[in-house]
Amino acid sequence: MKHNIHRLIILFMIMFVATGAKAQDADKLHAEDGLFNHLSIGLSYGTTGTNIDVAMPVHKLVTVRAGIGGWNIGEIKFKAINTASEITEIQMVEEDAIKRAQMTDKVELAVKPNFWNFYLLGEVHPFNNQTFYFSAGLFFGSQNFVHFRNTNDGALGFLYDANQKMQDYNNLFRTNYPPVGVQFGDYVFTADENGNIDVRMKTNAVKPYLGVGFGQHLAKSHRVSLAVDLGLMFWGSPKFVLNNGTEIDSAGKNSGIGSVLSWLKAWPNLEMRVAYKIF
């Protein structure tokens, strides 16, 4: 996906240069209202990522934008608490698997934000000759917002063994102790049978969008235009999901990242767009 985005950007830049060279011979811009009679190409940057799109009018007060974009920030490493190190029950501490797990206080994880979407937006300018507009439409694409994984592949087998012993303890003594693993907020990420923690924070694939903006995506009397957009992308309640598709339950009650995610059903978007009018 990332390589395809780069190819698209290069293609759009070639188109931009080619049409810019032709535009130097034009005496004036055509600014009359009409259906699909103008086209601009834009580059925007904001909290939904770096986006490239095209815009065209469908009415004298309505513009349609279609594009693709997102972000891939790279790998961010941090250390999380190993909950096995906090076990104090004597029966469990005597188990060899628990002893091995307690030898490590913290585990290094790498989080990789990677979020890409196509989008189709309609923008209504309710006041003629004014730059204010309403925007609405759909983003559709990536469900994975961030990806968590341990930095040492296969090195967390001791956590998997300890968690199995914890489950055996709960079954034997009819207790309800939480899973053993690596704590992130009020979630506990458990290791799989391969000795890895592989967790994704997932959202809906289709995400409605509502916003307001100021500026122009299709300039009336010149080629370059600027616009600022502020809105919300409704992606549902984010969930932490293991690589096998199992959803992780929150270990917290009324605080922590679990309660934050319970109401974070929309991702805020603030972006600035620079556009070039091709015709």
Side-chain angles (χ1 to χ4, degrees):
M1 171 67 82
K2 182 168 65 173
H3 296 299
N4 291 336
I5 297 296
H6 290 164
R7 293 191 187 102
L8 280 173
I9 292 175
I10 293 172
L11 176 60
F12 280 132
M13 291 304 294
I14 292 172
M15 292 171 57
F16 181 90
V17 172
T19 53
K22 278 177 132 186
Q24 292 180 358
D25 297 328
D27 294 328
K28 63 178 182 178
L29 297 177
H30 299 287
E32 66 275 8
D33 296 321
L35 177 65
F36 303 133
N37 63 334
H38 297 298
L39 178 70
S40 74
I41 181 171
L43 183 66
S44 62
Y45 182 78
T47 52
T48 58
T50 301
N51 310 303
I52 188 164
D53 58 28
V54 293
M56 60 180 61
V58 295
H59 184 270
K60 64 179 181 179
L61 299 179
V62 181
T63 301
V64 171
R65 271 201 298 147
I68 185 173
W71 38 261
N72 187 348
I73 297 175
E75 191 175 84
I76 303 171
K77 296 180 181 180
F78 67 96
K79 290 191 175 181
I81 296 173
N82 170 18
T83 60
S85 63
E86 300 175 344
I87 297 175
T88 58
E89 286 72 18
I90 298 300
Q91 297 95 325
M92 285 188 286
V93 172
E94 290 176 350
E95 293 283 352
D96 289 340
I98 301 295
K99 288 180 180 178
R100 289 194 301 272
Q102 288 190 321
M103 295 175 64
T104 303
D105 293 331
K106 292 186 178 181
V107 174
E108 186 177 64
L109 295 179
V111 55
K112 299 178 181 179
N114 190 6
F115 197 55
W116 297 93
N117 289 282
F118 296 93
Y119 56 90
L120 179 65
L121 302 175
E123 294 163 351
V124 178
H125 296 255
F127 310 110
N128 198 16
N129 297 324
Q130 296 296 322
T131 59
F132 174 78
Y133 62 85
F134 296 102
S135 59
L138 292 175
F139 282 73
F140 45 97
S142 175
Q143 287 184 276
N144 297 321
F145 186 61
V146 290
H147 181 200
F148 296 86
R149 205 171 194 281
N150 48 291
T151 54
N152 295 325
D153 186 61
L156 303 181
F158 63 89
L159 276 181
Y160 176 78
D161 295 339
N163 195 43
Q164 295 301 107
K165 287 295 181 182
M166 177 67 75
Q167 292 179 13
D168 292 342
Y169 184 89
N170 284 336
N171 293 335
L172 180 61
F173 295 99
R174 296 183 179 180
T175 53
N176 191 30
Y177 290 106
V180 172
V182 173
Q183 189 166 0
F184 179 73
D186 55 356
Y187 283 80
V188 174
F189 296 162
T190 56
D192 59 25
E193 62 275 12
N194 298 316
N196 293 312
I197 288 176
D198 196 328
V199 182
R200 299 173 191 272
M201 194 181 98
K202 301 191 75 172
T203 65
N204 294 338
V206 179
K207 314 164 189 73
Y209 181 83
L210 290 174
V212 295
F214 299 90
Q216 293 181 325
H217 297 292
L218 279 163
K220 294 255 183 183
S221 58
H222 46 84
R223 290 204 178 271
V224 179
S225 58
L226 297 174
V228 176
D229 204 273
L230 176 64
L232 292 172
M233 182 175 64
F234 297 90
W235 61 5
S237 296
K239 300 173 182 178
F240 285 116
V241 180
L242 294 174
N243 200 38
N244 61 8
T246 303
E247 183 180 338
I248 301 176
D249 293 327
S250 171
K253 294 181 179 180
N254 299 316
S255 62
I257 193 170
S259 5
V260 171
L261 291 178
S262 67
W263 59 261
L264 187 60
K265 297 181 180 181
W267 179 254
N269 179 42
L270 174 62
E271 71 173 23
M272 176 174 287
R273 180 177 185 267
V274 179
Y276 179 81
K277 187 176 182 180
I278 297 176
F279 62 85

